[in-house]
Amino acid sequence: MDRWHGHVALVTGASKGIGEAIVKNLVNNGLKVVACARDMDLLQVQLVAAAVEGMESNPSVRRVCGTFYAHFSGMNKLAESVKDFPGEILVIQCDVSKQDQILAMFSEIQKRWGGVDVNVMGLCLCTQEAVKSMRSRGVDDGHVININSLGGHRVGKAHFYSATKFAVTALTDGIRWELRGIKSKIKISEISPGLVQTHFHDKQFGGREKALEMYNAGKVQGPLKAEDIAEVVQFLLSTPPHVQVHDVLMRHTEQEV
């Protein structure tokens, strides 16, 4: 991971679960991480803004698209939890389904840190802008990492969910072909985990208790942890520049399906 020290990584969906675990791992390994999330607590953001009102020269707080992002401002638990790590974190509120917010985010990253070298968990427009950022600065050893699912390789009862994940599989392979077509050495990989214990299932099953019941029930016994996926991200980034790991399929040893 030494070659990534000081490089800029963008992690979307960073406020909780897999994204949060990846952010902590990368900052701990000395990267400058842009932690992007849609559902940060706006009240906390406003309190931070009020606390630094009139301090225009303070580099820790900026205004972007009517929202605020903070750099080690104590805005949220994520920034606080990694403040003693060797890397840096930039927390940005951005809805990655909205093009204007994505473009504004990349513009601010460009001004702040020069651009993006690693794109984790971003698809379509995020990937397009990340690759554009890399190539504009002559970065030819960057890495795009998509978080997919085993559902992107086989169809279960949640077939509509699988359809979206099959799209991730196709996009990842298609972007790899495009990068090879322009003779770029930028790599793209995806991680396809089975069941992972995150807040996603709390919403899906109507609360933490029901999610825990599901985790401990029969065939899906033994979920992975978000940190397991973060360690695979670290592994992918640790591979030599000439090694292309395209897809990592992983599940807990006790998960049967």
Side-chain angles (χ1 to χ4, degrees):
M1 291 290 287
D2 289 347
R3 72 185 182 94
W4 294 109
H5 191 91
H7 284 253
V8 179
L10 167 65
V11 181
T12 60
S15 62
K16 60 183 67 172
I18 294 173
E20 179 183 1
I22 291 172
V23 168
K24 291 179 179 179
N25 184 293
L26 296 183
V27 176
N28 194 37
N29 277 286
L31 279 79
K32 297 178 178 178
V33 180
V34 180
C36 163
R38 177 176 55 188
D39 57 352
M40 292 188 295
D41 189 336
L42 283 175
L43 178 60
Q44 284 186 308
V45 177
Q46 291 162 359
L47 288 174
V48 170
V52 297
E53 188 172 82
M55 299 171 62
E56 296 297 327
S57 62
N58 189 331
S60 67
V61 177
R62 300 276 196 272
R63 181 183 286 273
V64 182
C65 288
T67 61
F68 289 89
Y69 70 82
H71 175 61
F72 291 146
S73 65
M75 184 180 78
N76 60 22
K77 293 180 181 178
L78 177 59
E80 186 68 23
S81 69
V82 298
K83 66 179 182 180
D84 296 323
F85 288 1
E88 297 181 62
I89 185 173
L90 208 60
V91 182
I92 297 182
Q93 184 179 23
C94 174
D95 185 341
V96 294
S97 68
K98 297 180 179 179
Q99 182 174 351
D100 60 335
Q101 292 191 25
I102 292 174
L103 295 177
M105 175 178 66
F106 273 92
S107 175
E108 201 62 32
I109 295 169
Q110 179 72 27
K111 287 189 289 184
R112 177 74 181 220
W113 280 338
V116 173
D117 304 306
V118 179
N119 181 37
V120 180
M121 298 182 71
L123 284 173
C124 297
L125 187 56
C126 276
T127 298
Q128 173 183 311
E129 292 299 313
V131 171
K132 185 188 299 183
S133 172
M134 294 174 197
R135 298 190 70 210
S136 69
R137 294 173 295 118
V139 175
D140 200 37
D141 61 349
H143 206 145
V144 175
I145 302 173
N146 290 329
I147 305 301
N148 197 350
S149 166
L150 286 180
H153 300 273
R154 82 286 195 268
V155 178
K157 292 181 179 179
H159 48 283
F160 287 106
Y161 173 77
S162 290
T164 66
K165 295 305 179 181
F166 267 80
V168 176
T169 301
L171 285 167
T172 302
D173 202 29
I175 293 169
R176 183 181 68 84
W177 276 104
E178 287 189 21
L179 290 171
R180 292 304 307 127
I182 60 175
K183 307 300 182 184
S184 173
K185 295 180 181 178
I186 296 171
K187 298 192 287 186
I188 183 165
S189 307
E190 68 178 10
I191 303 172
S192 300
L195 195 67
V196 184
Q197 185 169 343
T198 67
H199 292 84
F200 173 82
H201 294 111
D202 292 358
K203 293 182 179 179
Q204 183 181 13
F205 293 97
R208 173 46 62 99
E209 290 187 5
K210 291 185 178 179
L212 290 174
E213 289 177 9
M214 184 273 297
Y215 291 143
N216 296 320
K219 293 184 179 181
V220 292
Q221 185 178 157
L224 297 168
K225 298 185 183 303
E227 291 76 15
D228 298 328
I229 285 71
E231 289 186 7
V232 176
V233 170
Q234 180 179 333
F235 158 71
L236 292 173
L237 293 175
S238 299
T239 57
H242 70 281
V243 175
Q244 167 78 47
V245 179
H246 185 64
D247 198 351
V248 177
L249 280 71
M250 57 188 293
R251 55 165 64 83
H252 192 286
T253 52
E254 294 184 22
Q255 181 178 337
E256 295 181 9
V257 297

